[in-house]
mmCIF file with all atom_site columns, all heavy atoms in Angstrom:
data_model
loop_
_atom_site.group_PDB
_atom_site.id
_atom_site.type_symbol
_atom_site.label_atom_id
_atom_site.label_alt_id
_atom_site.label_comp_id
_atom_site.label_asym_id
_atom_site.label_entity_id
_atom_site.label_seq_id
_atom_site.pdbx_PDB_ins_code
_atom_site.Cartn_x
_atom_site.Cartn_y
_atom_site.Cartn_z
_atom_site.occupancy
_atom_site.B_iso_or_equiv
_atom_site.pdbx_formal_charge
_atom_site.auth_seq_id
_atom_site.auth_comp_id
_atom_site.auth_asym_id
_atom_site.auth_atom_id
_atom_site.pdbx_PDB_model_num
ATOM 1  N N   . SER A 1 128 ? -14.797 -6.726  -3.684  1.00 75.00 ? 169 SER A N   1
ATOM 2  C CA  . SER A 1 128 ? -14.208 -7.584  -4.573  1.00 75.00 ? 169 SER A CA  1
ATOM 3  C C   . SER A 1 128 ? -13.916 -6.889  -5.996  1.00 75.00 ? 169 SER A C   1
ATOM 4  O O   . SER A 1 128 ? -12.932 -7.101  -6.602  1.00 75.00 ? 169 SER A O   1
ATOM 5  C CB  . SER A 1 128 ? -14.928 -8.749  -4.850  1.00 75.00 ? 169 SER A CB  1
ATOM 6  O OG  . SER A 1 128 ? -16.262 -8.547  -5.275  1.00 75.00 ? 169 SER A OG  1
ATOM 7  N N   . ASP A 1 129 ? -14.795 -6.010  -6.377  1.00 81.00 ? 170 ASP A N   1
ATOM 8  C CA  . ASP A 1 129 ? -14.601 -5.325  -7.700  1.00 81.00 ? 170 ASP A CA  1
ATOM 9  C C   . ASP A 1 129 ? -13.474 -4.407  -7.710  1.00 81.00 ? 170 ASP A C   1
ATOM 10 O O   . ASP A 1 129 ? -12.633 -4.379  -8.508  1.00 81.00 ? 170 ASP A O   1
ATOM 11 C CB  . ASP A 1 129 ? -15.900 -4.526  -8.241  1.00 81.00 ? 170 ASP A CB  1
ATOM 12 C CG  . ASP A 1 129 ? -16.995 -5.404  -8.528  1.00 81.00 ? 170 ASP A CG  1
ATOM 13 O OD1 . ASP A 1 129 ? -16.770 -6.712  -9.017  1.00 81.00 ? 170 ASP A OD1 1
ATOM 14 O OD2 . ASP A 1 129 ? -18.176 -5.029  -8.537  1.00 81.00 ? 170 ASP A OD2 1
ATOM 15 N N   . ALA A 1 130 ? -13.310 -3.673  -6.561  1.00 83.00 ? 171 ALA A N   1
ATOM 16 C CA  . ALA A 1 130 ? -12.124 -2.822  -6.353  1.00 83.00 ? 171 ALA A CA  1
ATOM 17 C C   . ALA A 1 130 ? -10.864 -3.644  -6.306  1.00 83.00 ? 171 ALA A C   1
ATOM 18 O O   . ALA A 1 130 ? -9.855  -3.124  -6.891  1.00 83.00 ? 171 ALA A O   1
ATOM 19 C CB  . ALA A 1 130 ? -12.278 -1.935  -5.067  1.00 83.00 ? 171 ALA A CB  1
ATOM 20 N N   . HIS A 1 131 ? -10.803 -4.685  -5.691  1.00 84.00 ? 172 HIS A N   1
ATOM 21 C CA  . HIS A 1 131 ? -9.658  -5.409  -5.564  1.00 84.00 ? 172 HIS A CA  1
ATOM 22 C C   . HIS A 1 131 ? -9.308  -6.199  -6.902  1.00 84.00 ? 172 HIS A C   1
ATOM 23 O O   . HIS A 1 131 ? -8.186  -6.406  -7.180  1.00 84.00 ? 172 HIS A O   1
ATOM 24 C CB  . HIS A 1 131 ? -9.695  -6.465  -4.370  1.00 84.00 ? 172 HIS A CB  1
ATOM 25 C CG  . HIS A 1 131 ? -9.640  -5.675  -3.210  1.00 84.00 ? 172 HIS A CG  1
ATOM 26 N ND1 . HIS A 1 131 ? -10.684 -5.114  -2.438  1.00 84.00 ? 172 HIS A ND1 1
ATOM 27 C CD2 . HIS A 1 131 ? -8.473  -5.204  -2.446  1.00 84.00 ? 172 HIS A CD2 1
ATOM 28 C CE1 . HIS A 1 131 ? -10.256 -4.436  -1.408  1.00 84.00 ? 172 HIS A CE1 1
ATOM 29 N NE2 . HIS A 1 131 ? -9.019  -4.392  -1.421  1.00 84.00 ? 172 HIS A NE2 1
ATOM 30 N N   . ASP A 1 132 ? -10.370 -6.596  -7.696  1.00 89.00 ? 173 ASP A N   1
ATOM 31 C CA  . ASP A 1 132 ? -10.060 -7.111  -9.007  1.00 89.00 ? 173 ASP A CA  1
ATOM 32 C C   . ASP A 1 132 ? -9.483  -6.063  -9.825  1.00 89.00 ? 173 ASP A C   1
ATOM 33 O O   . ASP A 1 132 ? -8.540  -6.369  -10.670 1.00 89.00 ? 173 ASP A O   1
ATOM 34 C CB  . ASP A 1 132 ? -11.423 -7.592  -9.781  1.00 89.00 ? 173 ASP A CB  1
ATOM 35 C CG  . ASP A 1 132 ? -11.956 -8.826  -8.926  1.00 89.00 ? 173 ASP A CG  1
ATOM 36 O OD1 . ASP A 1 132 ? -11.253 -9.569  -8.243  1.00 89.00 ? 173 ASP A OD1 1
ATOM 37 O OD2 . ASP A 1 132 ? -13.231 -9.182  -9.169  1.00 89.00 ? 173 ASP A OD2 1
ATOM 38 N N   . SER A 1 133 ? -10.000 -4.858  -9.811  1.00 90.00 ? 174 SER A N   1
ATOM 39 C CA  . SER A 1 133 ? -9.380  -3.655  -10.569 1.00 90.00 ? 174 SER A CA  1
ATOM 40 C C   . SER A 1 133 ? -7.924  -3.416  -10.150 1.00 90.00 ? 174 SER A C   1
ATOM 41 O O   . SER A 1 133 ? -7.116  -3.164  -10.953 1.00 90.00 ? 174 SER A O   1
ATOM 42 C CB  . SER A 1 133 ? -10.217 -2.354  -10.295 1.00 90.00 ? 174 SER A CB  1
ATOM 43 O OG  . SER A 1 133 ? -11.524 -2.547  -10.805 1.00 90.00 ? 174 SER A OG  1
ATOM 44 N N   . LEU A 1 134 ? -7.671  -3.408  -8.793  1.00 91.00 ? 175 LEU A N   1
ATOM 45 C CA  . LEU A 1 134 ? -6.349  -3.184  -8.273  1.00 91.00 ? 175 LEU A CA  1
ATOM 46 C C   . LEU A 1 134 ? -5.357  -4.278  -8.849  1.00 91.00 ? 175 LEU A C   1
ATOM 47 O O   . LEU A 1 134 ? -4.263  -3.998  -9.245  1.00 91.00 ? 175 LEU A O   1
ATOM 48 C CB  . LEU A 1 134 ? -6.413  -3.227  -6.718  1.00 91.00 ? 175 LEU A CB  1
ATOM 49 C CG  . LEU A 1 134 ? -5.130  -2.918  -6.088  1.00 91.00 ? 175 LEU A CG  1
ATOM 50 C CD1 . LEU A 1 134 ? -4.588  -1.526  -6.625  1.00 91.00 ? 175 LEU A CD1 1
ATOM 51 C CD2 . LEU A 1 134 ? -5.417  -2.831  -4.547  1.00 91.00 ? 175 LEU A CD2 1
ATOM 52 N N   . ARG A 1 135 ? -5.841  -5.533  -8.840  1.00 92.00 ? 176 ARG A N   1
ATOM 53 C CA  . ARG A 1 135 ? -4.982  -6.633  -9.401  1.00 92.00 ? 176 ARG A CA  1
ATOM 54 C C   . ARG A 1 135 ? -4.669  -6.422  -10.808 1.00 92.00 ? 176 ARG A C   1
ATOM 55 O O   . ARG A 1 135 ? -3.552  -6.563  -11.180 1.00 92.00 ? 176 ARG A O   1
ATOM 56 C CB  . ARG A 1 135 ? -5.753  -7.964  -9.275  1.00 92.00 ? 176 ARG A CB  1
ATOM 57 C CG  . ARG A 1 135 ? -4.992  -9.217  -9.751  1.00 92.00 ? 176 ARG A CG  1
ATOM 58 C CD  . ARG A 1 135 ? -5.683  -10.531 -9.531  1.00 92.00 ? 176 ARG A CD  1
ATOM 59 N NE  . ARG A 1 135 ? -6.099  -10.654 -8.065  1.00 92.00 ? 176 ARG A NE  1
ATOM 60 C CZ  . ARG A 1 135 ? -5.280  -11.012 -7.099  1.00 92.00 ? 176 ARG A CZ  1
ATOM 61 N NH1 . ARG A 1 135 ? -4.009  -11.216 -7.409  1.00 92.00 ? 176 ARG A NH1 1
ATOM 62 N NH2 . ARG A 1 135 ? -5.757  -11.235 -5.934  1.00 92.00 ? 176 ARG A NH2 1
ATOM 63 N N   . ILE A 1 136 ? -5.678  -5.879  -11.575 1.00 93.00 ? 177 ILE A N   1
ATOM 64 C CA  . ILE A 1 136 ? -5.313  -5.596  -13.003 1.00 93.00 ? 177 ILE A CA  1
ATOM 65 C C   . ILE A 1 136 ? -4.368  -4.487  -13.125 1.00 93.00 ? 177 ILE A C   1
ATOM 66 O O   . ILE A 1 136 ? -3.428  -4.657  -13.918 1.00 93.00 ? 177 ILE A O   1
ATOM 67 C CB  . ILE A 1 136 ? -6.719  -5.270  -13.807 1.00 93.00 ? 177 ILE A CB  1
ATOM 68 C CG1 . ILE A 1 136 ? -7.520  -6.425  -13.838 1.00 93.00 ? 177 ILE A CG1 1
ATOM 69 C CG2 . ILE A 1 136 ? -6.375  -4.615  -15.059 1.00 93.00 ? 177 ILE A CG2 1
ATOM 70 C CD1 . ILE A 1 136 ? -8.955  -6.211  -14.250 1.00 93.00 ? 177 ILE A CD1 1
ATOM 71 N N   . VAL A 1 137 ? -4.547  -3.333  -12.421 1.00 93.00 ? 178 VAL A N   1
ATOM 72 C CA  . VAL A 1 137 ? -3.634  -2.241  -12.496 1.00 93.00 ? 178 VAL A CA  1
ATOM 73 C C   . VAL A 1 137 ? -2.259  -2.539  -12.069 1.00 93.00 ? 178 VAL A C   1
ATOM 74 O O   . VAL A 1 137 ? -1.297  -2.281  -12.815 1.00 93.00 ? 178 VAL A O   1
ATOM 75 C CB  . VAL A 1 137 ? -4.231  -1.171  -11.591 1.00 93.00 ? 178 VAL A CB  1
ATOM 76 C CG1 . VAL A 1 137 ? -3.151  -0.024  -11.486 1.00 93.00 ? 178 VAL A CG1 1
ATOM 77 C CG2 . VAL A 1 137 ? -5.538  -0.556  -12.183 1.00 93.00 ? 178 VAL A CG2 1
ATOM 78 N N   . MET A 1 138 ? -2.149  -3.302  -10.984 1.00 93.00 ? 179 MET A N   1
ATOM 79 C CA  . MET A 1 138 ? -0.730  -3.722  -10.394 1.00 93.00 ? 179 MET A CA  1
ATOM 80 C C   . MET A 1 138 ? -0.072  -4.614  -11.351 1.00 93.00 ? 179 MET A C   1
ATOM 81 O O   . MET A 1 138 ? 1.143   -4.661  -11.579 1.00 93.00 ? 179 MET A O   1
ATOM 82 C CB  . MET A 1 138 ? -0.839  -4.099  -8.964  1.00 93.00 ? 179 MET A CB  1
ATOM 83 C CG  . MET A 1 138 ? -1.423  -3.107  -8.117  1.00 93.00 ? 179 MET A CG  1
ATOM 84 S SD  . MET A 1 138 ? -0.814  -1.360  -8.247  1.00 93.00 ? 179 MET A SD  1
ATOM 85 C CE  . MET A 1 138 ? 0.951   -1.639  -7.726  1.00 93.00 ? 179 MET A CE  1
ATOM 86 N N   . SER A 1 139 ? -0.800  -5.619  -11.790 1.00 92.00 ? 180 SER A N   1
ATOM 87 C CA  . SER A 1 139 ? -0.183  -6.608  -12.721 1.00 92.00 ? 180 SER A CA  1
ATOM 88 C C   . SER A 1 139 ? 0.266   -5.995  -13.981 1.00 92.00 ? 180 SER A C   1
ATOM 89 O O   . SER A 1 139 ? 1.381   -6.328  -14.489 1.00 92.00 ? 180 SER A O   1
ATOM 90 C CB  . SER A 1 139 ? -1.193  -7.757  -13.089 1.00 92.00 ? 180 SER A CB  1
ATOM 91 O OG  . SER A 1 139 ? -1.550  -8.439  -11.850 1.00 92.00 ? 180 SER A OG  1
#
Side-chain angles (χ1 to χ4, degrees):
S169 61
D170 289 338
H172 291 93
D173 289 345
S174 296
L175 186 54
R176 181 178 305 285
I177 290 167
V178 170
M179 300 316 294
S180 296

